[in-house]
């Protein structure tokens, strides 16, 4: 549903793939399961976002609430606020 709104080129990072940030041109980064990133990967992502010469578009997904991870020191607070977290609740009950 988001595809028409993403800047080109789009880079998809599935959660099961080894973590690596795009080195070349990237309009939008779609990152699955951001809650599973380790502290070093979180730091790398924040540095990548802050060091970009042009504004990056990032869509980061997770099934876990991130703020409790921030409170427990498991997720970087600066990255949490940099991602502009939006909570979407999806009802899985068929209609």
């Amino acid at each position: 549903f988001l595809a028409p709104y993403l800047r080109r080129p789009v880079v998809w990072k599935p959660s099961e793939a080894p973590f690596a940030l795009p080195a070349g041109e990237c309009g939008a980064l779609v990152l699955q399961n951001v809650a599973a990133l380790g502290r070093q990967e979180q730091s790398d992502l924040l540095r990548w976002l802050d060091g970009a010469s042009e504004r990056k578009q990032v869509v980061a997904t997770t099934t876990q609430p991130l703020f409790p991870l921030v409170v427990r020191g498991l997720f970087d607070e600066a990255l949490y606020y940099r991602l502009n977290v939006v909570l979407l609740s999806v009802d899985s009950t068929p209609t």
Side-chain angles (χ1 to χ4, degrees), residues 5-17:
Y5 304 100
L6 298 177
R7 293 186 190 125
R8 304 289 183 243
V10 177
V11 177
W12 296 84
K13 291 290 182 185
S15 57
E16 64 275 357

Side-chain angles (χ1 to χ4, degrees), residues 42-81:
Q42 294 171 33
S43 294
D44 292 346
L45 177 57
L46 186 57
R47 225 175 300 110
W48 181 78
L49 288 168
D50 289 342
S53 58
E54 71 281 346
R55 185 174 169 95
K56 300 286 186 195
Q57 185 181 43
V58 177
V59 177
T61 67
T62 184
T63 58
Q64 296 178 331
L66 290 178
F67 193 72
L69 297 176
V70 170
V71 170
R72 292 182 14 221
L74 300 173
F75 197 85
D76 187 280
E77 184 176 10
L79 179 58
Y80 175 83
Y81 287 107

Side-chain angles (χ1 to χ4, degrees), residues 29-52:
L29 172 63
V30 180
L31 184 60
Q32 294 179 352
N33 199 14
V34 71
L37 293 178
R39 291 294 287 187
Q40 183 60 51
E41 294 165 330
Q42 294 171 33
S43 294
D44 292 346
L45 177 57
L46 186 57
R47 225 175 300 110
W48 181 78
L49 288 168
D50 289 342

